[in-house]
Amino acid sequence: MSLPEFVILRHGENEWNREGRMQGGLDSALTEVGREQARRQNAILQTFGVQGWSWCSSPQGRAMATARIAADGLTTEIVPDVRLREIGMGDWAGMQRSEIAEQVPYLFETDGLGWYDHAPGGEGLVALEGRAKAFLADLRGPTVIVTHGITSRVVRCIAQGLPAESFDTLGGGQGVVYHIRDGESRLLS
């Protein structure tokens, strides 16, 4: 898939991230740390130079709040796109990771993130990959994308020609900015 250049941001820390609670389609407010991470993303983007680029964000509150802060002085138009929402966590939404690990310890026997694909009533990687591919197919030029941890990793897998199942081998972190160009990804700092 040939794609235009883009940068992808993960939202800043929020209350439930701090508590180790799974959100999926649920939401919680950015913490002060999260707001500072978004301000740092803004500084990175100011230096990198994204003036004139399109901006798209997950419509979920934590992503839109991050996008508004990160876009300060760069754009006033941020287009929400439901295809950028976080992977649906089904019955695990609102639970702490430790509670999930108690229920299904065998899913946590490795250090990977593959357990996201096993949430009862959850979306799963195949569906997430489908909507991420549809989003990327609609990109028409350089774009700033604001999304979530798992969604960001799957988008980057697709852009780099990796299978979606490789998502847990890619770097993550809150408040990060990755630059994707010609199938290559690099962390901006």
Side-chain angles (χ1 to χ4, degrees):
M1 175 183 291
S2 179
L3 297 171
E5 177 180 18
F6 65 89
V7 293
I8 189 163
L9 290 62
R10 180 182 179 196
H11 64 77
E13 179 192 74
N14 59 59
E15 297 294 338
W16 279 19
N17 293 142
R18 183 180 283 167
E19 296 172 10
R21 198 170 293 282
M22 300 297 101
Q23 294 176 94
L26 302 178
D27 221 344
S28 68
L30 293 179
T31 63
E32 182 51 41
V33 168
R35 289 186 292 277
E36 181 54 38
Q37 289 168 335
R39 288 188 287 271
R40 183 175 162 276
Q41 288 172 322
N42 175 267
I44 290 168
L45 295 175
Q46 294 275 359
T47 300
F48 182 76
V50 295
Q51 289 77 8
W53 287 31
S54 298
W55 282 66
C56 296
S57 177
S58 160
Q60 292 175 265
R62 59 196 184 271
M64 286 299 290
T66 298
R68 284 190 290 275
I69 295 168
D72 187 40
L74 295 168
T75 190
T76 57
E77 185 177 346
I78 303 166
V79 177
D81 194 309
V82 70
R83 296 172 295 182
L84 293 173
R85 72 188 184 279
E86 184 57 300
I87 189 170
M89 295 302 298
D91 295 347
W92 291 347
M95 292 179 66
Q96 290 184 320
R97 181 181 169 152
S98 60
E99 295 171 319
I100 298 166
E102 286 176 18
Q103 287 183 7
V104 286
Y106 62 92
L107 291 177
F108 292 84
E109 291 174 357
T110 66
D111 289 335
L113 299 171
W115 56 273
Y116 275 92
D117 198 31
H118 297 278
E123 178 177 20
L125 286 176
V126 170
L128 172 55
E129 181 183 30
R131 66 178 161 87
K133 282 181 176 178
F135 171 80
L136 289 171
D138 286 345
L139 290 183
R140 296 293 174 250
T143 305
V144 176
I145 300 166
V146 184
T147 189
H148 308 269
I150 304 305
T151 303
S152 169
R153 290 170 189 242
V154 170
V155 167
R156 288 183 285 133
C157 280
I158 296 164
Q160 294 176 84
L162 301 170
E165 298 81 27
S166 299
F167 80 101
D168 66 346
T169 66
L170 301 182
Q174 290 162 322
V176 295
V177 179
Y178 284 92
H179 175 230
I180 312 296
R181 184 175 179 177
D182 298 327
E184 301 289 326
S185 173
R186 70 181 175 105
L187 179 66
L188 299 179
S189 55

